[in-house]
C-alpha cells in the first residue's frame, strides 16, 4: 500500500474597523481585515525507509534517475521532496454606509467597495533557494446592483532575474 502524511497548524482572526462621519452622504466606512498564518510539514517520501522510490542507473556512464515504484497506479504516489512552510494570507473587505432616502427603516444602505481583496504566499524553510513563493493577489467587486461582477487576480514574483551578460553564437 502507498500512503503519505503531512501536518499543519493554523491561526486566523478578524479585525473590524469603522470610521463614522457626521456630515455628508457617507455615514461610515467599514474595513474588515482577516489575517491568517499557518505552518505545515511534509516529509520527503523518496527516502529509502518508505520504499516508494529507488535510484536506478540509466546508462553505462553511471547516471542515475529516481524511479517511482507506483507510477501509473490509480492513486499515484507520494510527493517528492520535503516541505516545512509558513503560509500567510491577509483578506480585506471594504464597504461604505451611505444615506438612502428609499429606506424608511434605517435610512442607509451598504455599498461594497471590495468584496474580498486577498494577498497570500508561503515561505518554505527547507527549500535550497527561492524560499518565498510568488505573492498572489485577488479581488472581486460588483457594480450596478450586481449587474457587473469584476474579478481581478495576479501574482508578483519576489525574485528578480538579471542577465549579467549576453553571449551570442555567430556561425
Amino acid at each position: 500500500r502507498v500512503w503519505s502524511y503531512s501536518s499543519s497548524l493554523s491561526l486566523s482572526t478578524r479585525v473590524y474597523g469603522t470610521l463614522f462621519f457626521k456630515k455628508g452622504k457617507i455615514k461610515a466606512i467599514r474595513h474588515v481585515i482577516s489575517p491568517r498564518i499557518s505552518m505545515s510539514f511534509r516529509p520527503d517520501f523518496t527516502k529509502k525507509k518508505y520504499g516508494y522510490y529507488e535510484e536506478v542507473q540509466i546508462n553505462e556512464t553511471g547516471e542515475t534517475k529516481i524511479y517511482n515504484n507506483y507510477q501509473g497506479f490509480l492513486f499515484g504516489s507520494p510527493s517528492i521532496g520535503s516541505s516545512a512552510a509558513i503560509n500567510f494570507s491577509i483578506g480585506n473587505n471594504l464597504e461604505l454606509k451611505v444615506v438612502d432616502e428609499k429606506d424608511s427603516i434605517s435610512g442607509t444602505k451598504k455599498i461594497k467597495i471590495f468584496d474580498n481583496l486577498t494577498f497570500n504566499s508561503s515561505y518554505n524553510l527547507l527549500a535550497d533557494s527561492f524560499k518565498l513563493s510568488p505573492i498572489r493577489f485577488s479581488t472581486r467587486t460588483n457594480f450596478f446592483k450586481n449587474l457587473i461582477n469584476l474579478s481581478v487576480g495576479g501574482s508578483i514574483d519576489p525574485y528578480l532575474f538579471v542577465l549579467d551578460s549576453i553571449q551570442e553564437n555567430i556561425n
Side-chain angles (χ1 to χ4, degrees):
R1 77 177 183 204
V2 178
W3 57 275
S4 65
Y5 60 89
S6 63
S7 60
S8 65
L9 173 70
S10 69
L11 176 68
S12 64
T13 189
R14 288 190 180 201
V15 179
Y16 296 87
T18 306
L19 180 62
F20 294 98
F21 300 98
K22 293 183 180 182
K23 297 180 181 179
K25 290 203 172 243
I26 299 174
K27 293 297 176 188
I29 297 175
R30 182 178 185 189
H31 187 193
V32 181
I33 302 171
S34 305
R36 178 186 170 117
I37 188 165
S38 65
M39 295 169 42
S40 62
F41 173 75
R42 184 191 71 233
D44 184 3
F45 290 104
T46 62
K47 291 186 177 181
K48 201 169 198 77
K49 68 180 181 179
Y50 296 107
Y52 299 148
Y53 296 88
E54 61 183 281
E55 196 167 352
V56 178
Q57 184 175 337
I58 58 172
N59 58 26
E60 299 82 27
T61 62
E63 288 184 65
T64 60
K65 179 181 177 183
I66 294 179
Y67 176 72
N68 178 351
N69 294 330
Y70 297 94
Q71 187 170 349
F73 279 40
L74 180 61
F75 295 107
S77 61
S79 57
I80 295 175
S82 59
S83 171
I86 298 172
N87 311 297
F88 46 91
S89 71
I90 186 162
N92 295 276
N93 291 350
L94 187 65
E95 60 187 24
L96 298 175
K97 188 179 267 190
V98 296
V99 174
D100 184 11
E101 287 87 15
K102 295 178 186 174
D103 189 335
S104 60
I105 297 173
S106 69
T108 61
K109 69 177 178 178
K110 291 181 183 177
I111 300 174
K112 290 184 179 185
I113 304 299
F114 290 116
D115 192 19
N116 191 3
L117 172 62
T118 304
F119 296 90
N120 58 41
S121 187
S122 65
Y123 188 85
N124 187 352
L125 299 166
L126 298 180
D128 293 336
S129 59
F130 303 111
K131 295 180 181 238
L132 184 63
S133 295
I135 300 163
R136 294 168 301 281
F137 62 90
S138 63
T139 187
R140 67 178 182 268
T141 192
N142 299 307
F143 298 104
F144 308 113
K145 296 183 182 179
N146 295 331
L147 184 63
I148 297 174
N149 297 316
L150 177 66
S151 296
V152 177
S155 66
I156 301 166
D157 194 339
Y159 300 102
L160 178 65
F161 176 76
V162 177
L163 187 60
D164 292 335
S165 64
I166 298 175
Q167 296 179 355
E168 293 184 23
N169 252 343
I170 303 174
N171 293 334

